[in-house]
Amino acid sequence: MEQQQVNTTPILKISNLSKRFGKNQVLSGIELEIKKGTVMGLMGENGAGKSTMMKCLFGIYEKDEGDIYLDGQLVNFSGPKDALENGVAMVHQELNQCLERSVADNMFLGRYPTKYGMIDEKVMEEKTNQLFARLGMYISPKTIMKKMSVSMRQMVEIAKAVSYDSKIIVLDEPTSSLTEKEVKKLFSIVNELKKQGISFVYISHKMDEIFEICDEVSVLRDGKMIMTKSTNETTMQELVAAMVGRSLDNRFPPVDNEPGDVILELRNLSTRFAPQLKDINLNVRKGEILGLYGLVGAGRSELLETLFGLRTIAYGDIIYDGKQMVFANSADAMSYDFAFVTEERKFNGMFGKETIKFNTCISNLDKYKKNGVLSNAQMYDATTKAISNMSVKCMGPDEIISALSGGNQQKVIIGKWLERNPNVFLLDEPTRGIDVGAKYEIYQLIINMAKEGKTIIVVSSEMPEILGITNRIAVMSNYRLAGIVNTKETNQEELLNLSAKYL
């Protein structure tokens, strides 16, 4: 009996891909093959070339050398729209959606079905419902986007990619804002689409996810493809070594700071406008690293925003160094040496169209004045120092910050606040979208600041991280404080139980 032949042609093949900007060789001889119905993990330090590689694939950048084959056919997309219409889609980490419009509107944006010259909303809703049913999603097409969680909006974006009959979908840090339950839902959709023959490129810095959802993993370092292996044939240690060029024996540095006396007290702290914090009572010590844990929407970010003067207090007190604080705005908080690294760096953490120098110096302009006039030389020197201290991969102080990778943008933002030498550092998901090597550097930075007597309050959704770098952990649930535990005496189960206390 004649044996049936299996089609071994990869759905996507990248051959000898190279790209340079001036004298800077960003990609060099990239080789990559992705099989049909599989998930390829793509890892690498920030600045390794992952974003540039994807931009070459989608036609945003013109490649200098190399070829790209889709399902055996040579392709050269003119842009993301051309790629999308030919079956290659991408779901970005920062979602770009029309939040004031409905789910159906966002699904059919730019390709509305019409009847008698009018948009046929009935057809839009029917097709949306059919697609959602296929994916096991339960969302009304009439729902306004801004009323949904980030995770649900992300599911809509994936469904939209599928609606284009995509052969391959690129997911860029897809779980950065998701709870564990939402991550499981995302993975179930990915696995279902794999069965239907759709392939994925899964860009992530989260090792556990790579081993759970990916069939293979490729590692970029300094613009070169270092390795591609089946996830069954590699280890976390091998991936880390491939990414950073050295072995990281421990995932977290030793937390060897010694907290002192109470420096910050919250007494019955409650906020005026929804979502409202309710009767938060909390003490934080000088030189302590306090973790804030909880599910998405538990009130962690809102608490940091209140401490930084961004939310109106209904009642209760903030006592810092024995004095009652009344922060009407962030400038008040900054005057008492509070610093705040926000979760959404692109929206409220940086000036995307400005230079690294502008973003580094903007919060501390008085420091760079000479005879009442801003000194460009002083700002340049300060930025150069910050770039070196934070190991930012860039062309120099005058490079536009939005041209950097997400992790390098975050390093610039943290460096900006370090220029002010703050006493209280509020960090909201400080390692979100950052590679393992850079994470270790930031962990060490946090611990060193605590050893210098700085008080650190850090929000993290990553359980290993919150357990790996803190002295104590305060758990939020439904905008209340559910409990406070010593890090060395707790475990994941206790944190999860506390996070569900007021649900």
Side-chain angles (χ1 to χ4, degrees), residues 63-94:
K63 59 188 183 294
D64 295 328
E65 299 172 27
D67 297 308
I68 298 173
Y69 297 88
L70 180 65
D71 208 6
Q73 300 296 314
L74 183 66
V75 294
N76 191 20
F77 301 129
S78 60
K81 186 174 184 292
D82 186 22
L84 189 61
E85 290 173 349
N86 282 277
V88 182
M90 184 168 185
V91 178
H92 296 271
Q93 181 179 351
E94 282 89 12

Side-chain angles (χ1 to χ4, degrees), residues 189-423:
I189 289 178
V190 170
N191 284 323
E192 180 58 36
L193 291 173
K194 278 175 59 179
K195 295 175 185 176
Q196 299 173 24
I198 297 175
S199 303
F200 291 85
V201 175
Y202 192 91
I203 302 173
S204 179
H205 295 302
K206 297 181 179 180
M207 296 280 187
D208 296 342
E209 294 180 2
I210 291 292
F211 284 99
E212 182 175 351
I213 193 65
C214 298
D215 301 289
E216 294 182 288
V217 58
S218 292
V219 176
L220 278 172
R221 186 175 79 231
D222 298 329
K224 297 178 181 179
M225 190 64 75
I226 301 300
M227 63 170 277
T228 297
K229 279 191 174 183
S230 165
T231 50
N232 294 327
E233 298 174 353
T234 188
T235 64
M236 188 177 296
Q237 288 73 24
E238 185 179 22
L239 287 182
V240 170
M243 288 172 62
V244 303
R246 64 189 189 278
S247 176
L248 284 181
D249 296 328
N250 296 305
R251 191 170 175 183
F252 303 99
V255 182
D256 53 359
N257 59 309
E258 296 181 3
D261 297 330
V262 171
I263 189 74
L264 180 65
E265 299 178 66
L266 310 184
R267 300 175 181 170
N268 298 317
L269 186 66
S270 303
T271 51
R272 187 176 302 279
F273 303 110
Q276 295 171 291
L277 297 174
K278 302 163 189 174
D279 296 314
I280 306 295
N281 288 282
L282 180 64
N283 292 336
V284 192
R285 291 172 288 171
K286 184 175 182 179
E288 180 177 23
I289 305 170
L290 178 76
L292 271 185
Y293 184 74
L295 304 177
V296 174
R300 303 167 305 168
S301 298
E302 288 78 6
L303 179 55
L304 294 193
E305 290 167 1
T306 303
L307 290 175
F308 201 63
L310 299 176
R311 288 183 175 270
T312 305
I313 296 174
Y315 58 86
D317 300 309
I318 300 174
I319 310 296
Y320 175 64
D321 201 13
K323 301 174 184 177
Q324 183 170 346
M325 297 289 103
V326 180
F327 295 155
N329 49 48
S330 58
D332 288 346
M334 289 167 64
S335 70
Y336 281 91
D337 294 324
F338 279 56
F340 183 25
V341 174
T342 61
E343 179 183 10
E344 296 289 345
R345 57 177 172 263
K346 287 195 174 181
F347 292 106
N348 50 24
M350 68 183 197
F351 295 88
K353 295 183 179 180
E354 296 292 346
T355 64
I356 298 172
K357 181 179 69 178
F358 182 97
N359 279 275
T360 299
C361 300
I362 188 63
S363 298
N364 207 19
L365 291 178
D366 289 340
K367 184 177 178 180
Y368 313 112
K369 287 184 179 179
K370 189 175 182 180
N371 300 322
V373 179
L374 280 173
S375 169
N376 188 62
Q378 288 184 27
M379 291 191 292
Y380 194 93
D381 289 344
T383 306
T384 301
K385 180 182 175 183
I387 288 171
S388 176
N389 289 342
M390 298 301 297
S391 301
V392 179
K393 292 183 179 179
C394 63
M395 304 292 286
D398 292 324
E399 185 172 5
I400 301 300
I401 192 171
S402 58
L404 304 183
S405 64
N408 282 302
Q409 290 172 4
Q410 189 77 322
K411 289 181 181 181
V412 172
I413 294 167
I414 293 174
K416 167 187 73 175
W417 287 113
L418 288 177
E419 271 292 288
R420 290 188 60 86
N421 193 27
N423 288 323

